[in-house]
Amino acid sequence: MKSFERNALIYSTIVAMGGFLFGLDAALIAGTVDSITQQFSLDSLQLGNAVSAPALGVLIALPFAGWICNQFGRKKAILLIAILYLISAVCSAYAVNYEMLVGARFLGGLAFSSISLASMYIGEIAPPKLRGKLVSMTQINIVIGLSGAYFINYLIHYWATSGTGLAGSLGIDEANMWRWMLGSEIPVAIVWFFLLLIIPESPAWYVSRQRDEDAAKTLGKLLPADEVTAHLSEMKQSLQLGASSRSMGAQLREIFSRPMRLTFIIALTIAIAQQATGINAILFYAQTVFKQLGGGTDAAFVQAIWVGLTGIVFTVLGLLLVDKLGRRPLIIGGMVWIIASLGICAYGFHKARYTLPADAVAELEDFSDPQRLDPLVGQPFPSDIAFKNAVNDAIGPDDARKFQGALLERSIKMPATLVLIGILSFIAAFHFSVGPVMWVLFSEIFPISVRSIAIPLFTIVTSLTNYIVQKFFPWQLETMGMTSIFLFYAGTVSIGLVILFFTLVETKNMSIEEIERTLRPKAQS
């Protein structure tokens, strides 16, 4: 590997660690859902608020991310994000009430803009032939963080429930294990902050500030010496194209202009479709989803680890193939795969039946009045919603939230293996296609003249979709049921698939300037 390629790899790897922290922060909450629900007596919408608070935070942060990048540089913006991750983790772990927990997680959401800024930074420093792989590193780090979070949650849950000597010496028990889960990202945030001090400022930012000498110096670390001058000239020309003013308003007007119409349609569609798959409902409520299969709490923690490992394997495969197969085949084929996987999950839950046996009621611990469930014993229910509503009516919402998992586990008869395969297939399809490739496209399809506003803008769109999915999943679980939820996700992805099939162009092995010339004439025709 040549020195300039090695430098690009090192800098990209460090910045992409923001993806690892994102994945860690996002998935750690999955293991705490039951604990915080009981700790703070949350209903479904309050639980949705606690889980989705970071997605709301990023909606607030992203409009300012472009301005901060333009004013202070990409490097300083990413350093600020590392500090926010650290403060959020500390406050989440020590939250004393529901409001503090939501506020701390909201603060962490301000740091979730690390994903868009990482794509921006890496897209600006990466050589064209390596850009797809290097930008996708952010997604790899996300799924490694997700997998790490599930494994950490499993270990802490195991220590807390098994009463091991290590758990006792550390003070980990079932009452406070959620605090250890949320606090486990603190050392990672500290390490990332100090590593970020190594990276250089983006040459694109230097060019935008008319600091050509600094830009050339940085490009000298990232390109062969004989290509620096030509690339610097090309960056300056791209910056000047169609942008007489560098104000936010001028950039927004260009994004919504007719020449960028095709770029706008592609970016908007994939920004919505990526999160409309329901991926973060599965990832951030992993244990909750797996409990619907009737395997119990311990099995749910183990199955969540499978989700993380599947994500890693198929993200790596996607990374290896993104510059060989191209962006369009991965996105179009991946969305077809996603729809099929969601269909399998919907079919599996449609076949589920629920009958409460008499011995299940007797086995419930800490249930003071089991006679209230007598009318339900032996009565078959055709869906999870019918069963949950009956339990809720019989014992009240508080006891229903507390004992619903145990009752489901003992009552359900369904093709659980088929649904598990469908979920893992969905995870594989997402991480092989629209998961990483969306960020690759975002780093490529916007010209330098608007990218500091365009990437955060469309990340706002995907974050808003993500927020809606996360916030309302517990409510959907109570009111729609798993069959309807999976069908809803499949339907929305199908709409995105049709639009992208007719609009998405191939961008592999093209410079940002070449992509711009390809998209703009098509938009004007």
Side-chain angles (χ1 to χ4, degrees):
M1 179 179 290
K2 298 178 181 179
S3 61
F4 67 88
E5 294 176 331
R6 182 167 57 251
N7 288 337
L9 176 61
I10 291 172
Y11 301 148
S12 299
T13 301
I14 292 173
V15 173
M17 278 187 64
F20 178 83
L21 262 172
F22 172 89
L24 198 65
D25 187 279
L28 286 170
I29 192 66
T32 72
V33 166
D34 288 346
S35 297
I36 64 174
T37 297
Q38 295 181 23
Q39 177 88 30
F40 302 121
S41 301
L42 307 182
D43 60 31
S44 62
L45 289 178
Q46 287 177 319
L47 176 59
N49 287 335
V51 174
S52 66
L56 181 60
V58 78
L59 287 174
I60 305 300
L62 284 172
F64 301 98
W67 180 83
I68 293 173
C69 283
N70 281 343
Q71 290 297 116
F72 304 105
R74 281 48 160 164
K75 179 176 179 176
K76 289 185 177 67
I78 299 173
L79 281 167
L80 175 61
I81 284 170
I83 295 172
L84 289 173
Y85 270 124
L86 178 59
I87 296 173
S88 171
V90 171
C91 293
S92 295
Y94 287 96
V96 296
N97 53 42
Y98 163 70
E99 291 77 15
M100 183 176 176
L101 177 63
V102 172
R105 287 184 53 73
F106 173 84
L107 187 64
L110 301 180
F112 277 18
S113 54
S114 61
I115 305 305
S116 64
L117 297 190
S119 297
M120 178 192 300
Y121 179 90
I122 297 172
E124 291 173 350
I125 71 165
K129 292 184 178 179
L130 296 177
R131 188 187 305 115
K133 290 183 174 64
L134 294 181
V135 172
S136 292
M137 285 175 58
T138 300
Q139 187 68 25
I140 280 193
N141 275 272
I142 290 174
V143 296
I144 292 175
L146 290 169
S147 184
Y150 296 138
F151 186 70
I152 289 170
N153 283 345
Y154 169 77
L155 285 180
I156 293 175
H157 174 263
Y158 173 77
W159 291 336
T161 56
S162 64
T164 62
L166 177 61
S169 62
L170 294 176
I172 303 175
D173 55 37
E174 291 189 61
N176 69 11
M177 65 178 180
W178 66 272
R179 299 185 184 276
W180 285 87
M181 292 174 180
L182 296 180
S184 62
E185 69 177 282
I186 293 173
V188 183
I190 294 173
V191 170
W192 189 45
F193 174 83
F194 285 105
L195 286 176
L196 286 172
L197 299 176
I198 299 172
I199 69 172
E201 183 52 78
S202 163
W205 183 75
Y206 281 137
V207 169
S208 72
R209 309 300 285 186
Q210 290 81 49
R211 295 170 58 177
D212 293 359
E213 184 176 339
D214 290 327
K217 184 178 179 180
T218 300
L219 287 171
K221 301 176 182 179
L222 302 168
L223 294 171
D226 58 351
E227 296 181 14
V228 171
T229 301
H231 193 77
L232 180 60
S233 176
E234 192 175 46
M235 290 174 67
K236 294 172 67 175
Q237 291 175 6
S238 178
L239 182 65
Q240 295 168 359
L241 180 62
S244 58
S245 171
R246 301 283 21 98
S247 68
M248 182 181 295
Q251 293 184 58
L252 285 172
R253 285 192 295 272
E254 184 174 352
I255 291 169
F256 287 94
S257 67
R258 183 176 180 182
M260 286 197 64
R261 183 176 299 168
L262 181 59
T263 302
F264 181 90
I265 292 172
I266 293 170
L268 181 66
T269 302
I270 195 168
I272 295 173
Q274 193 216 45
Q275 289 301 317
T277 59
I279 183 65
N280 284 334
I282 304 299
L283 296 179
F284 296 0
Y285 295 92
Q287 282 81 1
T288 302
V289 172
F290 285 122
K291 285 182 181 179
Q292 308 305 306
L293 304 182
T297 300
D298 293 341
F301 273 91
V302 174
Q303 289 164 343
I305 295 176
W306 299 353
V307 167
L309 294 176
T310 301
I312 291 176
V313 170
F314 282 89
T315 299
V316 171
L317 287 176
L319 173 64
L320 294 175
L321 295 174
V322 67
D323 285 327
K324 293 181 180 179
L325 295 180
R327 286 58 162 157
R328 178 181 167 86
L330 285 180
I331 288 179
I332 300 300
M335 292 178 78
V336 172
W337 185 2
I338 286 170
I339 293 167
S341 301
L342 292 171
I344 291 172
C345 295
Y347 174 79
F349 275 103
H350 176 70
K351 300 296 289 184
R353 296 294 181 268
Y354 302 82
T355 304
L356 182 65
D359 57 352
V361 178
E363 292 173 359
L364 289 179
E365 297 180 2
D366 302 323
F367 189 41
S368 58
D369 190 8
Q371 288 79 16
R372 288 182 291 167
L373 286 170
D374 287 347
L376 276 61
V377 172
Q379 180 179 347
F381 293 91
S383 69
D384 53 341
I385 285 298
F387 179 76
K388 292 174 184 177
N389 287 341
V391 171
N392 188 76
D393 292 341
I395 63 177
D398 292 337
D399 282 339
R401 280 193 295 270
K402 184 176 181 180
F403 297 105
Q404 189 177 89
L407 293 172
L408 273 175
E409 180 181 352
R410 292 165 172 81
S411 304
I412 191 170
K413 290 185 181 296
M414 67 177 300
T417 301
L418 177 66
V419 175
L420 179 60
I421 291 172
I423 291 174
L424 295 180
S425 175
F426 166 55
I427 297 297
F430 178 87
H431 287 102
F432 183 73
S433 58
V434 293
V437 181
M438 184 187 80
W439 300 110
V440 175
L441 283 177
F442 279 7
S443 74
E444 294 178 332
I445 62 176
F446 301 114
I448 292 176
S449 59
V450 300
R451 59 186 16 254
S452 63
I453 298 299
I455 293 178
L457 173 64
F458 287 99
T459 305
I460 288 174
V461 175
T462 200
S463 298
L464 177 60
T465 311
N466 172 32
Y467 171 70
I468 293 171
V469 168
Q470 290 184 50
K471 177 177 173 60
F472 291 104
F473 178 77
W475 175 83
Q476 287 179 303
L477 197 58
E478 282 191 355
T479 59
M480 293 173 59
M482 293 302 295
T483 301
S484 297
I485 289 173
F486 281 119
L487 288 177
F488 175 78
Y489 294 152
T492 53
V493 176
S494 298
I495 295 172
L497 172 62
V498 172
I499 296 173
L500 290 174
F501 182 83
F502 290 104
T503 59
L504 185 61
V505 299
E506 185 53 70
T507 60
K508 72 173 182 178
N509 295 331
M510 297 170 65
S511 69
I512 293 174
E513 294 71 28
E514 289 171 335
I515 295 169
E516 181 180 356
R517 290 192 291 270
T518 299
L519 289 173
R520 287 200 173 198
K522 287 179 177 290
Q524 292 172 323
S525 61

